[in-house]
Amino acid sequence: MASGPGERARLLALTRELILTRGVLGLSLSELARGIGSNNRMLLYHFGSLDELLGAAIDDILGGTVLLDRLAELLSGPGSAADRLVAAWRHVADPERLPHLRLFFARFGMAVDLPDQYARFLEQVRDRWTATVAGALRAAPEVAAPEATAVAVVALWRGLQMQLICGESRSRIDAAHALAIGRLLG
């Protein structure tokens, strides 16, 4: 039985992959173990409980900075503030990210129900994206109130992400985004 930190990391990586393809709702420890080629005993040895394992995997998936780093690059790129926000939105709304969005909103729902338990997650959701957008908008002379505009942009993105998950057509969502950004910056 492999029991070192390498095995724990391997099991966590496999769990992340399974969560992104299957989701977390109704996932049992036995189903997870079978899905990643392990067993209940091994998972409990390394993580203590299904909740601990799922929490660690979700935190890894959602806590990464890759998306935010790329977002910051796009927001500081060439063009007007509107052009940069549209480029950032296209990146955020890439169809490859739908599993991440589903997981994000599942975790968000849990966090709203248990705010004390998920205070750190809620703080990051509120502050990290807004700070990234505000930082880029501060450098845009056409944006009079960068912090308030950043809050509005992130709220717009979250709402449109929910529409994507619900199956709204990408063309309608992109049109709504362009209209809203034009009004926010106009």
Side-chain angles (χ1 to χ4, degrees), residues 49-152:
S49 71
L50 175 62
D51 286 342
E52 289 296 319
L53 173 53
L54 293 177
I58 292 169
D59 286 347
D60 275 5
I61 292 166
L62 298 179
T65 61
V66 173
L67 181 60
L68 274 175
D69 290 346
R70 180 67 180 136
L71 189 66
E73 284 176 35
L74 291 166
L75 289 169
S76 62
S80 69
D83 293 338
R84 291 179 303 194
L85 287 168
V86 168
W89 166 249
R90 286 188 181 130
H91 178 68
V92 167
D94 187 305
E96 282 184 13
R97 288 191 214 351
L98 278 178
H100 293 84
L101 291 178
R102 287 185 189 102
L103 186 59
F104 170 81
F105 284 108
R107 170 56 71 91
F108 185 77
M110 292 169 25
V112 170
D113 280 345
L114 302 167
D116 293 337
Q117 183 176 339
Y118 292 100
R120 190 173 131 249
F121 173 77
L122 289 171
E123 182 180 317
Q124 289 176 341
V125 166
R126 182 189 67 232
D127 297 341
R128 286 173 71 194
W129 281 65
T130 304
T132 300
V133 175
L137 293 178
R138 276 188 219 104
E142 69 268 34
V143 179
E147 280 73 19
T149 302
V151 170

